[in-house]
Each structure stands twice: as structure tokens, then as C-alpha cells.
Amino acid sequence: MPPATPASSERLLEVQNVNKAYGRGGKQMMAVQDVSLTIHAGEFVCLLGPSGCGKSTLLRIIAGIDSATSGSVLYRGRPLVGVNPHATIVFQTFALYPWLTVLENVEIALKARGVPAAARHERALKLIDTIGLDGFESAYPREISGGMRQKVGFARAMAVEPELLCLDEPFSALDVLSAEGLRGELMELWHNRAIPTRAILMVTHNIEEAVLMADRIVVMGKDPGHIVAELPITLRHPRQRKEAAFQIRVDKVYAAVTGKRLIAPQANGLHGKNKLPRAHLNALAGLVEKLLADDGHTDLARLSSELVLELDDLLPIVEAGELVGFVKVREGDLLLTPLGRTYAEANILARKELIAGRILRLPIINWIYETLQRDDKQRVVWDYFLDKFEEDFGDRAEKQLDVAISWGRHAELFAYDDNAGELYLEN
Ligand code: ADP
Ligand code: MG
């Protein structure tokens, strides 16, 4: 059983205080803020975080196909200028040329790198063999499975022998079995040093995948994207998902991912940065019922797998639950509060009243409600709200307004009249 690859103190990559803003003038949006990160030779590092937290942006900056707005990126101690010749990215779905065979798709990467024709052929064949695709050299992309196509993508990235292999959610478009197979094969190539790659940086939003593969997990949060925590994972390889030690690590990472997401209701102002989580209150009702069935206490990792919910979908629901005071997150566990229990056990009518009272404490909802109340007809055009929301939420204003309306409707506080383009107070 190979040990976790020891990381050396040799610094390959240093990202220092990197900021990245998109857009211009008044419509600027911070994608990542003040990110610093070092990757040593021999390390397999995972960047983990919810979608939109800037993982891909960071990867593109590291590969030099996008540039930071400020801060610096050093490769082997030298400032990176332009495309990073030592790094290659494998994307979620690798675009293969449909008119070229598997072999030709790999060869073309070598051609772009200036490898002479004869050597190209030989190297491509060897790579295809390494990655376990021999026998499929002359197949066309449409003739092979998604998992095999992604393997060709890996082979193509490895063909240029990058020192730093960057992977952007490389398994997330695959079915469960193909993904697991390919993960295992990559780990084997990496640990057996079958590829000259010195370090791997993989983006994922899958906690178990990160714990399975990484020597170190860098947890990111969003709005704007920033680093929340770094957790070393020292378990030996191959790692077993079922082992207690593995599950303990998974829980720790869950705790890190959820720990910083607690939003104090009073801090959630219309002119504050905090937003309503993008969750439906119906889903929250479901979560609270599930918690009641689990004796008011569950493990977030288990919950995510039982509900077959991706972390990205689960977290906003949990956040909504925290915001209204129905649930609490502690150390990767989810707890039902006494208020949450009351809600879970109440009938539909009592639930509506309870949730209405709770969300009216949120400044955003409260402001909409009061604005409508102050109006003679208790109706105000949607555009008015959007304008106000834009001051706080920029290009996310419309989504935020959608969420606020869906919450208002759920609690029967206010709703949207599509014909008139107005929000109105419900009785
Ligand atoms: P992740 O990979 O973690 O899902 P991304 O790096 O793709 O996140 O995006 C981070 C944020 O930056 C998101 O809010 C996204 O909408 C924004 N963003 C990404 N690329 C661009 C772009 N080219 N132009 C404008 N905004 C972008
Ligand atoms: Mg991404």
C-alpha cells in the first residue's frame, strides 16, 4: 500500500493575495478576493467549495489563461507572465475533435507542442496504453463512452507532460461507476509515478472525492470567493470510504465548509452583504421533517447521501434553516432547534404563520412587506424593488428578488402579479 505521496518543501506554485474582478465601471463583481495558496512538489491539493466561489477562475489564473486583477502568481519563484507552460487543465467535459480518432486526438496535443511526427505516434500510443484505452486507438469519440472520452481528455493533458496538472471537476459529468474507476486509475498513475507530473491541483465540490484523493484540502467560500480553511488529509492510500477514519475526515471537512456559513439574522441587512440563500422553503420543510424523523439530529455527510443532494443544493437549504432559526449546524452535524421541532410538528396553517413571523424578521423580507403596506393599493411595481436590490446585489439582484418573492409567497405574505408586473400584499 503506497503511503500518501510526501510533499517536498519545493514550492512549485505560489498564489499571493490574488483578487479577480469581472466587469467594468459600476458593474464590477468580485469573483475571488485575497486568495493566497502554495503548492509544493509531490502534493495533490483539492480546491473545494460551492459553485460560484471562484474555483475555476483561480485555476484559469494559475494556468495563465486568465489574469488576476491584482496580486501575484509565482511559478518556481518567478512571476507568471501569460500562459503557464508548466500547467495544463483538464475540464469537466473535455472537448475532443469528433472527426479525429482517439489516437489522433492525443497526437494533436503533441503536434501543438512541436513533437515530431514519428515520436508523436509512439508517445500517443504509449499514453493511450497507460490510461487503459488500448484497443480503442482507432475509435471515434462518438463510439466510446463518456468515461472513455474523459480518459482521452486526461491522456491529451498528460501528453504535454505538465509539471502541474490542473483538474476542473474532471469526474462530475461521469456516471458514478465511471467516475470511481477513473479516480482510481488517476491515483494509481500518480502514486506509481507513471506520469512525470509533479503536483496535482483538483477543483471539486464533492467532499468525499476530495477526502479520497487529496493530501490537502483548501476549502473556499463565496460572495466573494475566498479561502475558508486548509485541511491536511494524511490517510494512507488507497483510502476506503467505509472506514471510520475516512468518515471522520469527511465530517471535519463538512464542518469547515458549513462552519463559516452561519448567518446571524440581524447581520442580514438590505444594505449588508448577506443575501437570502437560494432555497425553496418547501425544501426547508422537507429537511425539518427529515430531521424530526432522525430524532432531531443528523450528520450532514450522511444526510447529503441519503437525500442524494449535492452539497451545492443542500447548503442553501441548511442556510435558510439557520436563518429562520429551525436548525443549527455544529461540527458537521445538523440539529433541529426547539422552534424547528414546533414547526415540524405543526399543521399547515400553523406552519405558515410560524414561518411568516420568522421571515419577517429578515430585513430584506421586512422591507418588501413594509413597502407594500405603505402603498395605498398595497401594490408596487416589480422594477422598483429590482432597482433597490441592484444597489446591494448588482447582477444577482434579479435572482435575489426571485428568492424573496418565493419566500413571501410561501408564507402568504406577498406575491407577484405577472400581468401587472407588480408585487402585492396577500391577506
Ligand atoms: P466556480 O468554478 O467555483 O463555480 P467560477 O470561478 O466559475 O466559480 O465563478 C466565480 C464567480 O465569477 C461566479 O459568480 C461567476 O458568475 C463569475 N464569473 C466567472 N467567469 C466570469 C466571466 N468570464 N465574466 C463574468 N463573471 C464571471
Ligand atoms: Mg467551476
Side-chain angles (χ1 to χ4, degrees):
M1 193 161 66
T5 310
S8 65
S9 56
E10 184 185 348
R11 289 161 178 238
L12 283 187
L13 178 87
E14 290 163 86
V15 173
Q16 298 171 334
N17 311 104
V18 158
N19 291 295
K20 175 72 183 177
Y22 284 112
R24 272 158 215 247
K27 287 237 162 184
Q28 277 220 346
M29 180 279 223
M30 269 317 240
V32 293
Q33 191 166 51
D34 198 24
V35 166
S36 298
L37 173 71
T38 300
I39 295 175
H40 303 93
E43 273 193 305
F44 190 131
V45 177
C46 270
L47 272 182
L48 176 80
S51 74
C53 74
K55 304 180 297 291
S56 299
T57 298
L58 210 52
L59 221 53
R60 285 198 301 271
I61 290 171
I62 288 167
I65 53 181
D66 200 346
S67 55
T69 308
S70 65
S72 52
V73 179
L74 306 181
Y75 197 85
R76 289 192 177 281
R78 300 225 173 112
L80 184 64
V81 184
V83 173
N84 187 341
H86 309 286
T88 306
I89 303 188
V90 176
F91 297 98
Q92 186 175 2
T93 47
F94 212 93
L96 301 178
Y97 299 108
W99 59 88
L100 297 182
T101 63
V102 165
L103 181 65
E104 290 162 342
N105 262 292
V106 178
E107 278 183 317
I108 204 163
L110 294 165
K111 186 175 177 191
R113 211 191 167 215
V115 178
R120 279 206 296 267
H121 188 72
E122 200 173 319
R123 256 179 56 195
L125 278 176
K126 187 156 169 278
L127 266 166
I128 288 169
D129 188 24
T130 308
I131 203 92
L133 273 181
D134 56 330
F136 291 92
E137 294 86 353
S138 56
Y140 286 90
R142 64 169 182 280
E143 298 170 324
I144 59 178
S145 69
M148 288 163 107
R149 280 199 290 272
Q150 192 67 341
K151 278 191 182 182
V152 181
F154 272 96
R156 211 157 82 174
M158 287 166 188
V160 300
E161 307 196 334
E163 210 169 46
L164 176 64
L165 182 62
C166 299
L167 309 172
D168 195 348
E169 311 207 9
F171 310 111
S172 62
L174 303 177
D175 63 273
V176 179
L177 288 179
S178 309
E180 197 64 356
L182 200 47
R183 280 185 200 110
E185 280 159 32
L186 175 64
M187 291 316 279
E188 220 177 292
L189 292 176
W190 169 240
H191 288 299
N192 298 341
R193 314 246 156 110
I195 45 175
T197 290
R198 304 285 314 276
I200 299 180
L201 177 59
M202 183 174 89
V203 161
T204 180
H205 61 257
N206 182 326
I207 292 182
E208 293 216 0
E209 179 174 288
V211 175
L212 191 70
M213 302 174 85
D215 299 317
R216 181 157 54 100
I217 300 178
V218 177
V219 178
M220 293 183 70
K222 63 179 183 176
D223 301 325
H226 63 286
I227 292 179
V228 168
E230 292 204 20
L231 305 163
I233 307 287
T234 52
L235 300 173
R236 292 170 69 89
H237 290 277
R239 297 175 180 165
Q240 309 295 335
R241 289 172 191 267
K242 292 248 149 63
E243 275 175 12
F246 187 92
Q247 284 308 320
I248 289 169
R249 297 312 186 291
V250 169
D251 285 352
K252 277 219 171 103
V253 181
Y254 261 95
V257 172
T258 53
K260 308 282 166 165
R261 299 176 63 97
L262 286 167
I263 299 174
Q266 57 275 22
N268 190 34
L270 187 64
H271 289 285
K273 270 203 291 201
N274 290 327
K275 308 189 279 183
L276 296 178
R278 280 195 218 171
H280 280 285
L281 294 181
N282 283 332
L284 175 60
L287 179 74
V288 166
E289 280 162 21
K290 172 87 174 96
L291 262 174
L292 186 70
D294 289 348
D295 290 330
H297 178 272
T298 189
D299 181 275
L300 270 171
R302 204 177 55 227
L303 187 69
S304 160
S305 78
E306 274 178 20
L307 299 179
V308 200
L309 267 182
E310 289 271 8
L311 191 64
D312 268 4
D313 302 320
L314 180 60
L315 285 186
I317 305 170
V318 170
E319 237 181 273
E322 289 181 302
L323 209 51
V324 299
F326 291 176
V327 304
K328 270 204 168 72
V329 177
R330 206 169 57 204
E331 303 282 306
D333 281 351
L334 191 62
L335 314 173
L336 192 62
T337 62
L339 188 66
R341 181 175 292 274
T342 307
Y343 175 85
E345 289 169 346
N347 63 30
I348 291 179
L349 210 65
R351 276 189 180 189
K352 295 255 178 215
E353 269 178 35
L354 186 59
I355 195 103
R358 297 306 295 177
I359 68 172
L360 271 175
R361 297 157 65 104
L362 307 174
I364 291 174
I365 300 289
N366 193 276
W367 174 74
I368 294 177
Y369 186 75
E370 288 193 342
T371 303
L372 290 170
Q373 242 180 356
R374 276 197 302 272
D375 186 82
D376 292 343
K377 293 195 212 104
Q378 309 199 316
R379 298 178 79 91
V380 176
V381 289
W382 180 83
D383 293 331
Y384 173 79
F385 294 100
L386 185 67
D387 274 356
K388 291 285 182 195
F389 268 54
E390 273 176 349
E391 290 170 20
D392 283 276
F393 304 120
D395 54 2
R396 293 167 176 134
E398 202 168 327
K399 287 250 163 57
Q400 273 297 297
L401 188 50
D402 281 350
V403 175
I405 292 171
S406 97
W407 287 26
R409 178 175 284 143
H410 180 95
E412 296 182 6
L413 286 171
F414 49 79
Y416 174 66
D417 175 349
D418 198 19
N419 289 326
E422 292 171 341
L423 269 72
Y424 63 96
L425 221 52
E426 295 225 57
N427 298 312

